[in-house]
Amino acid sequence: MAALLLPTTVHADPAPAPPIPPLPTDLLSESFTGTPAVKQPIAHPTIPSHPYLSANGTSSMHDDAYASDAYTVSGPLGRDLQVRSASYGVSECATMGFDAGHRIVGLCGGAQGFTMRLIDPTTLAQIASLDMPARDLTSGANPLSDLCGGTYFYLDRHHHAYVLTTGNQLWEVTIGATALSHTKTYAPTIPDGDCMIATMPDWKGRIFFATKGGRVGTIDPATGASKLRTFPGEAIFNSMATDETGAVYIVTDHRLLALAADRSGMPQVRWAAPYDRGTRQKPGQLSQGSGTTPTLIGKDLVAITDNAEPRMNVLFYKRDGNPKNRLICKAPVFGAGASATENSLVAAGRSVIVENNYGYEGPQSTIGGRTTSPGVARVVLDGTRCRVAWTSPVTAPTSVPKVSLGNGLVYVYAKKASTLLDDSWYFTAIDVRTGRTQWQQRTGNGIQWNNHYASIYLGPDGAAYMPTMAGLVRFADG
């Protein structure tokens, strides 16, 4: 049931955040390479405006209800690129949105737990913060890979964030001018040993949530009443997408599900599509299954990856029609025995961009000149045939890529194999049409610049943001 609480707030520290600390070895690599891009917009099917989310491009980690990871705004072109960073301690704002004033609302995690932050989008100064429930450090879970609470939230149109916590609660947080206030708590009954990891409203405003233990539930936001359905033997490690038909799309470690709530609120299966989950949990994966949130394209498509061997496949499905022909096509990507992704596909027209995360098993995988398996690829759907349009040799260990439909660039966060003294990270722009690397901007050298599964974001003004393990970096054309 929902419980009303007295507002609790922490007001802003007016002092600007210090920059992420550099290292002297930054001088061993070039700061900027490549050439500025020229805008070449990408045509993309219209993404409808969700009545219970903030504007497309601002509401969640994956930008919108369709989880497109695509922005209509033009991001940085690389012209006199201005780079600013801010350190918030050992705290990574992996999930962010933008409120009606275009300020950053971030859910920032560290070893002890999570903090909501309201951040100035230009200076990166913290305006306000709100501590969330702490982690249970006695559980034995690795805080670097534990998804329980603190991974996903969404923003609505009325200055509220809906945030999952480590205590299996959903908090409503009101975003004020200079404060964040915890104003309501929803506490569905979750069995011991399980935890909530993802949430999103359907088109009628009913709040869906998913648990790591393969459960999907709903919450009535007016009453707090909840329903819970279990999918035995399955687990969930990613977020969800929703469309105007009332469907909510979720990937378990066995299959893709299209769900909808019945009149009582109980999730019902509209259709299900098993996929090849492979034979093992690959290095770079959080489970033996797909690492992608479902990506919706137009009114008819949904795309995910599988976990097949010897190569992972990108899969396109029909969202409606004859269930016997649900799978349209699939295309293998990256090298044999070295392909996996734990990040969402990025939609660009009738195509998706996929990033290879094979080999990332934590920050240690990119220390001392090491890095992970290379590859960023674009897969195009031509009628009923999938084809790999290009594969870039760029290595992006764990970034959630984003595409700017406004300029035709896809942004990833790259790390080259280098030397013991050069662990440099690069914000990288790739031409969507050709796969050519347009430019790279170094952020810095060392573990503090590792993004560790955090998503890239584009703000409403076109600035780009890259959270790292020590703070946040902003990129904007001069």
Side-chain angles (χ1 to χ4, degrees):
M1 296 293 288
L4 288 174
L5 301 178
L6 293 175
T8 57
T9 63
V10 181
H11 291 281
D13 181 352
I20 296 173
L23 295 178
T25 46
D26 284 353
L27 300 175
L28 295 176
S29 56
E30 291 186 69
S31 175
F32 182 89
T33 58
T35 57
V38 176
K39 288 184 183 180
Q40 299 183 74
I42 299 288
H44 187 79
T46 299
I47 299 171
S49 180
H50 192 296
Y52 293 91
L53 292 177
S54 62
N56 289 348
T58 69
S59 64
S60 60
M61 175 185 283
H62 297 303
D63 297 1
D64 47 53
Y66 278 22
S68 72
D69 289 297
Y71 294 89
T72 57
V73 69
S74 176
L77 295 169
R79 296 174 180 168
D80 187 25
L81 203 61
Q82 305 296 302
V83 183
R84 178 194 295 267
S85 72
S87 177
Y88 308 120
V90 185
S91 179
E92 179 181 82
C93 302
T95 306
M96 302 196 320
F98 297 87
D99 73 0
H102 297 177
R103 301 175 302 175
I104 297 168
V105 182
L107 182 56
C108 311
Q112 300 298 319
F114 297 89
T115 300
M116 291 291 293
R117 289 193 167 91
L118 185 62
I119 299 169
D120 185 286
T122 302
T123 68
L124 304 186
Q126 179 176 284
I127 300 167
S129 67
L130 175 66
D131 288 337
M132 309 295 290
R135 292 184 191 271
D136 178 7
L137 297 180
T138 67
S139 69
N142 180 354
L144 290 176
S145 59
D146 184 13
L147 298 177
C148 294
T151 302
Y152 295 108
F153 75 93
Y154 66 86
L155 299 178
D156 73 5
R157 295 182 179 274
H158 304 290
H159 309 287
H160 298 129
Y162 291 85
V163 192
L164 296 176
T165 78
T166 56
N168 278 335
Q169 296 178 343
L170 176 72
W171 281 17
E172 177 193 88
V173 175
T174 300
I175 303 163
T178 59
L180 298 171
S181 302
H182 173 200
T183 48
K184 189 179 289 186
T185 298
Y186 299 100
T189 301
I190 307 296
D192 289 344
D194 199 2
C195 65
M196 301 165 74
I197 64 165
T199 185
M200 185 69 70
D202 69 11
W203 231 257
K204 292 184 177 180
R206 185 180 285 108
I207 301 170
F208 271 72
F209 63 88
T211 76
K212 188 175 178 180
R215 296 176 172 90
V216 179
T218 67
I219 299 170
D220 183 323
T223 66
S226 63
K227 296 287 186 178
L228 190 65
R229 176 166 185 166
T230 302
F231 296 95
E234 301 182 55
I236 300 170
F237 290 83
N238 296 284
S239 191
M240 56 187 76
T242 180
D243 69 16
E244 57 273 38
T245 71
V248 174
Y249 300 86
I250 295 175
V251 171
T252 78
D253 59 350
H254 286 72
R255 54 186 176 158
L256 170 63
L257 297 171
L259 307 173
D262 63 19
R263 289 187 177 183
S264 75
M266 180 63 73
Q268 302 294 338
V269 177
R270 282 192 179 177
W271 55 262
Y275 61 83
D276 187 346
R277 65 191 299 264
T279 59
R280 61 182 175 128
Q281 179 178 332
K282 300 176 186 176
Q285 296 284 95
L286 298 177
S287 71
Q288 185 189 326
S290 175
T292 55
T293 294
T295 298
L296 309 185
I297 302 172
K299 293 184 178 296
D300 58 336
L301 300 177
V302 54
I304 63 169
T305 64
D306 61 16
N307 193 46
E309 296 280 17
R311 295 196 290 168
M312 170 183 71
N313 295 284
V314 171
L315 311 172
F316 286 92
Y317 297 89
K318 295 177 182 178
R319 301 212 305 264
D320 54 20
N322 187 343
K324 294 182 179 179
N325 299 314
R326 183 73 60 196
L327 178 64
I328 301 170
C329 63
K330 61 182 180 180
V333 289
F334 310 127
S339 65
T341 194
E342 194 54 51
N343 287 311
S344 184
L345 300 171
V346 181
R350 302 286 281 187
S351 74
V352 294
I353 291 125
V354 58
E355 175 185 280
N356 194 6
N357 304 136
Y358 188 91
Y360 187 83
E361 297 183 285
Q364 70 276 9
S365 301
T366 57
I367 292 175
R370 291 179 292 170
T371 193
T372 56
S373 295
V376 178
R378 182 187 183 198
V379 179
V380 177
L381 176 63
D382 284 335
T384 59
R385 186 173 69 92
C386 300
R387 62 178 177 87
V388 177
W390 50 256
T391 300
S392 164
V394 166
T395 301
T398 66
S399 63
V400 181
K402 295 296 174 78
V403 70
S404 169
L405 300 172
N407 65 24
L409 296 175
V410 60
Y411 301 100
V412 301
Y413 195 47
K415 184 179 188 300
K416 307 172 183 176
S418 50
T419 68
L420 289 175
L421 294 177
D422 183 12
D423 273 328
S424 290
W425 293 80
Y426 295 85
F427 189 72
T428 301
I430 297 172
D431 187 308
V432 170
R433 290 176 172 83
T434 67
R436 181 174 68 90
T437 298
Q438 187 69 39
W439 50 262
Q440 292 191 300
Q441 171 67 55
R442 188 196 63 224
T443 54
N445 179 13
I447 192 173
Q448 69 272 34
W449 301 100
N450 185 337
N451 73 293
H452 190 64
Y453 291 113
S455 176
I456 294 167
Y457 299 89
L458 297 186
D461 65 351
Y465 300 88
M466 183 73 259
T468 79
M469 293 180 71
L472 184 60
V473 189
R474 179 182 190 267
F475 309 85
D477 289 331

